[in-house]
Amino acid sequence: STGFPMTISALQLGIGCLYGVFLWLAPDARKAPSVTMDDIIKMLPVAFCAMGAHCASVFALSAGAVSFGQIVKAAEPVFAAVLSQFVYGKKISTAK
């Protein structure tokens, strides 16, 4: 693949983090959340999987056909449902 997709996805995530921190630090922008270390530890698996899904979709879009990238992006909700089933022990909703 060409175009350094993993570098691009890392830069996108890094700039997004910096933008979020800026919104918390800027006066009159947003109130900073009150987060404890326990909250951060609980969010790490979800954040890691979201990072992986973003990197995979950027890599898939650079790997070839756009249709392949769209298939990878469309599979993200399924990945999240399976993750919640096995990691968090929550049942997948079958309401619809």
Side-chain angles (χ1 to χ4, degrees):
S1 68
T2 61
F4 305 104
M6 301 315 280
T7 304
I8 291 170
S9 64
L11 286 171
Q12 288 173 339
L13 291 169
I15 290 171
C17 289
L18 290 175
Y19 181 67
V21 170
F22 168 74
L23 287 178
W24 293 333
L25 296 178
D28 299 329
R30 294 182 192 265
K31 182 182 172 195
S34 59
V35 180
T36 64
M37 185 56 86
D38 190 44
D39 293 334
I40 292 173
I41 291 171
K42 288 179 183 177
M43 287 187 288
L44 280 176
V46 177
F48 182 76
C49 290
M51 177 201 62
H54 176 72
C55 291
S57 65
V58 171
F59 185 76
L61 286 170
S62 72
V66 174
S67 59
F68 176 68
Q70 294 301 322
I71 290 169
V72 171
K73 288 179 77 167
E76 288 178 14
V78 175
F79 177 72
V82 170
L83 182 72
S84 68
Q85 173 78 29
F86 293 110
V87 173
Y88 296 113
K90 295 191 177 189
K91 297 284 184 188
I92 298 173
S93 174
T94 56
K96 293 185 179 182

